[in-house]
Amino acid sequence: MRSDEVKLNAERAPHRSLFKAMGYTDEELSRPLIGIANPKSEIVPGHFHLNQIADAVKAGIRMAGGTPVEFGTIGVCDGIAMGHKGMHYSLASREIIADECEIMAEAHRFDGMVFMPGCDKIIPGMLMAAARIDLPAIVVTAGAMLSYQSNGKNLDLNSVFEAVGAYKAGKATDEELAFCENNACPSCGSCSGMFTANSMACLSEAIGMALPGNGTIPAVYAERLRLAKHAGMQIVELVKKDIRPSQILTEQAFTNALTVDMALGCSTNSVLHLTAIAREAGVKLNIDLINEISARVPNLCRLAPSGPHHIEDLYHAGGVSAVINELIKCGYYEGSNMTVLGVSMAEAVEHAAIRNKAVIHTCDAPYSKTGGIAILKGNIAPDGAVVKRAAVLENMMQHSGPAKVFNSEEEAIKAIYGMQIQPGDVVVIRYEGPKGGPGMREMLGPTSAIAGMGLDSTVALITDGRFSGASRGAAIGHVSPEAASGGNIGLLITGDIIDIDIPAGKLSAQVSEETFAERRKSWKAPEPKIKKGYLARYERMVSSASEGAVVK
């Protein structure tokens, strides 16, 4: 066992003495040491309950003959960090989380790892660590928050953001805003729609790194605890069989994950994160593959913000396993890929079935014949931009309109609430990319304001920043190269006509190359917004969104 390096033979007596200072017995030290990365905190609703899940994981490890060793990591709540300086730190935290897990696993020579993420950047950060350290590993996410469903209303966190827009536009009363605030988030867990956290929880399952059910069992259900116990038992089995992430996170596994991504209509952030995880796994993930998969894989689910259903509805309808089994039957998903169960995905999901065809459509009657995400390219985004096409109204799939250009999220929000945006406009928010942000802030505020004010059927938004998985409408993010790196989005001026053609994968301005070249002569790289601390280092080292916004 790898942990013998810290516990075996006479020369390790000092090491054993330190273990015994914490109460470990000789019997416990004779077993595999399983690290448990637990980001429990009292500031993240998706992590608030993780100690209970950790206890279940530890029980499973002990039942199977291992010794659990729990440690903590950081975690940012994107919702609480939204709309102010705090959001600069969200994506940037992904790299620290991966580093923390690597450091703890390598310094203490764990034999295997259980990763217990709940929310947006924590799940991909831990999957990056799993790929990097390549120890037997399993992911157990925290589970989804329940949604509020009553009298035909479906509320979630996004509803509150949109209610603010409606309130600002005089379309909602104080009482209506308060009702939404008090009811939209009725339990702990990751916010209840197919937002980024739940997208990545589902894709952890789809890529083979989590047990069936992981993506959709609600946080407060007893089944989540049973899943955690089974995961604890299974990690010991993975250590015994030496099944590692490198055997699971193959090129085919990432193709499969993108296939499920399209079928579920996941967050656009999943593109950013899968690219980063693939890089750690040594797999080249070309974003052009996304359109290729999207063109042939049907969209089978429309969860919030794309439709009325939430994660608990997907759970009751059969979960991710039912979606994967349907995709395997129809030839879209290659089921031979290895999973943390130690069997192929086809074997893992063979008994899963769709229990509610209103929530999970079949391949022969999909919501759409094409997938939920699209990559757009053109003279604004030669390296690509991303849109959640499943959340775009049909009349906005193709749109041309004048640009209203803003150099920050705050400028754009002020203009939107100030009634300066007109039907037909294309809001451009730049200098919000990985480098320019820094940290590529999520911008749920502007998209929710546009939707809440009833403009989502006539106004598009493009940015080199990114959007929350809760965003809906013609919201196009990840424009690359970003403005701060000299990308053409930084050369646009208010009044330029922007052409958007989502079915054709195009995003361009009616601006000639000669005009762009002339404007570039007077363009200067902006001064860094933050000049000290972690974000200053991050800004110097971060790559483009088209490369996953990884630190090099």
Side-chain angles (χ1 to χ4, degrees):
M1 289 187 294
R2 195 173 93 134
S3 60
D4 287 347
E5 296 176 42
V6 297
K7 63 186 186 183
L8 199 63
N9 299 322
E11 62 266 31
R12 297 304 186 220
H15 302 64
R16 293 193 295 274
S17 181
L18 290 169
F19 274 104
K20 288 177 179 178
M22 296 177 282
Y24 287 90
T25 65
D26 287 327
E27 290 79 9
E28 286 175 300
L29 296 180
S30 70
R31 299 168 181 168
L33 295 185
I34 309 298
I36 302 174
N38 178 8
K40 191 270 178 187
S41 75
E42 296 182 356
I43 192 61
V44 184
H47 294 184
F48 189 76
H49 60 304
L50 278 177
N51 281 350
Q52 187 178 27
I53 294 176
D55 286 343
V57 169
K58 287 187 276 191
I61 291 170
R62 292 190 181 103
M63 283 190 282
T67 296
V69 183
E70 183 181 352
F71 63 90
T73 76
I74 63 168
V76 171
C77 175
D78 278 19
I80 294 175
M82 193 77 65
H84 53 82
K85 183 180 178 180
M87 182 46 73
H88 290 291
Y89 289 88
S90 176
L91 180 61
S93 74
R94 185 187 69 181
E95 315 305 308
I96 291 182
I97 291 159
D99 291 348
E100 284 182 313
C101 293
E102 174 197 353
I103 289 167
M104 293 299 287
E106 297 291 11
H108 303 105
R109 314 312 290 158
F110 295 139
D111 297 301
M113 290 289 296
V114 178
F115 295 102
M116 292 181 43
C119 288
D120 294 33
K121 308 310 161 300
I122 301 87
I123 301 175
M126 290 188 175
L127 280 167
M128 289 165 68
R132 184 187 302 172
I133 61 182
D134 200 30
L135 288 176
I138 194 166
V139 172
V140 185
T141 57
M145 181 184 290
L146 298 178
S147 65
Y148 176 90
Q149 299 181 16
S150 178
N151 298 323
K153 289 185 177 180
N154 291 272
L155 298 180
D156 52 48
L157 179 65
N158 190 38
S159 306
V160 192
F161 278 94
E162 292 191 6
V164 173
Y167 180 80
K168 293 277 189 178
K171 296 181 179 181
T173 64
D174 288 324
E175 292 75 17
E176 288 169 330
L177 181 60
F179 180 87
C180 196
E181 173 186 333
N182 291 327
N183 290 280
C185 299
S187 76
C188 61
S190 50
C191 297
S192 57
M194 189 54 79
F195 311 150
T196 305
N198 288 323
S199 292
M200 294 309 301
C202 290
L203 295 180
S204 299
E205 188 177 333
I207 209 167
M209 286 298 296
L211 296 178
N214 176 79
T216 58
I217 300 170
V220 296
Y221 280 22
E223 190 177 353
R224 177 63 57 179
L225 298 178
R226 297 197 295 271
L227 178 87
K229 289 177 183 177
H230 285 300
M233 290 185 277
Q234 187 59 25
I235 187 58
V236 178
E237 189 69 16
L238 292 173
V239 169
K240 290 176 181 176
K241 293 180 177 178
D242 197 29
I243 296 176
R244 297 171 181 255
S246 56
Q247 297 165 259
I248 297 171
L249 296 175
T250 62
E251 184 176 350
Q252 184 60 60
F254 284 97
T255 300
N256 283 340
L258 285 170
T259 298
V260 175
D261 195 334
M262 298 303 163
L264 290 176
C266 291
S267 164
T268 52
N269 287 314
S270 62
V271 175
L272 201 67
H273 298 320
L274 287 174
T275 303
I277 297 162
R279 182 176 181 272
E280 295 286 359
V283 173
K284 176 64 175 176
L285 190 61
N286 189 323
I287 64 169
D288 291 333
L289 178 65
I290 293 166
N291 276 353
E292 179 186 321
I293 294 173
S294 183
R296 62 181 175 82
V297 176
N299 180 220
L300 305 183
C301 299
R302 288 282 169 94
L303 278 69
S306 304
H309 303 126
H310 290 79
I311 293 296
E312 64 197 272
D313 301 310
L314 180 58
Y315 163 74
H316 290 296
V320 177
S321 292
V323 174
I324 293 174
N325 201 19
E326 176 70 9
L327 293 170
I328 290 173
K329 290 176 183 176
C330 298
Y332 296 117
Y333 186 110
E334 174 50 62
S336 62
N337 210 66
M338 175 66 77
T339 71
V340 288
L341 274 175
V343 300
S344 72
M345 184 62 80
E347 293 173 271
V349 302
E350 63 181 333
H351 299 300
I354 298 173
R355 296 194 291 266
N356 184 342
K357 291 183 180 179
V359 177
I360 305 174
H361 286 207
T362 59
C363 291
D364 59 0
Y367 279 102
S368 167
K369 292 182 179 179
T370 53
I373 289 178
I375 301 297
L376 310 183
K377 289 189 175 183
N379 65 0
I380 298 175
D383 292 343
V386 185
V387 64
K388 187 171 184 174
R389 65 189 297 167
V392 179
L393 294 171
E394 189 62 34
N395 69 294
M396 291 297 291
M397 287 290 182
Q398 294 173 309
H399 179 78
S400 290
K404 292 284 183 70
V405 179
F406 305 97
N407 289 333
S408 71
E409 176 186 5
E410 288 81 2
E411 285 184 17
I413 282 280
K414 184 178 179 180
I416 295 167
Y417 286 147
M419 307 299 178
Q420 296 174 29
I421 305 303
Q422 305 301 317
D425 285 348
V426 178
V427 176
V428 177
I429 305 177
R430 61 193 181 191
Y431 298 107
E432 291 287 6
K435 180 181 177 69
M440 206 179 183
R441 290 191 290 177
E442 279 189 348
M443 286 179 278
L444 183 55
T447 57
S448 297
I450 287 170
M453 297 172 80
L455 294 171
D456 57 315
S457 62
T458 58
V459 170
L461 193 157
I462 67 171
T463 181
D464 53 9
R466 61 195 179 93
F467 299 110
S468 166
S471 293
R472 63 185 176 94
I476 300 165
H478 307 196
V479 170
S480 301
E482 62 175 293
S485 296
N488 283 349
I489 189 174
L491 305 178
L492 295 175
I493 62 175
T494 292
D496 284 342
I497 301 301
I498 308 297
D499 296 327
I500 299 166
D501 190 336
I502 294 172
K506 294 181 179 179
L507 174 64
S508 294
Q510 292 181 18
V511 178
S512 68
E513 287 305 311
E514 292 77 14
T515 301
F516 273 136
E518 189 63 30
R519 292 178 184 177
R520 191 174 299 281
K521 291 177 183 178
S522 59
W523 179 84
K524 292 181 180 180
E527 283 287 311
K529 295 175 185 174
I530 297 175
K531 298 182 180 180
K532 63 180 182 179
Y534 173 60
L535 284 176
R537 299 197 304 274
Y538 179 86
E539 183 269 334
R540 291 194 296 269
M541 297 184 292
V542 70
S543 72
S544 166
S546 63
E547 299 178 273
V550 296
V551 166
K552 294 185 176 179

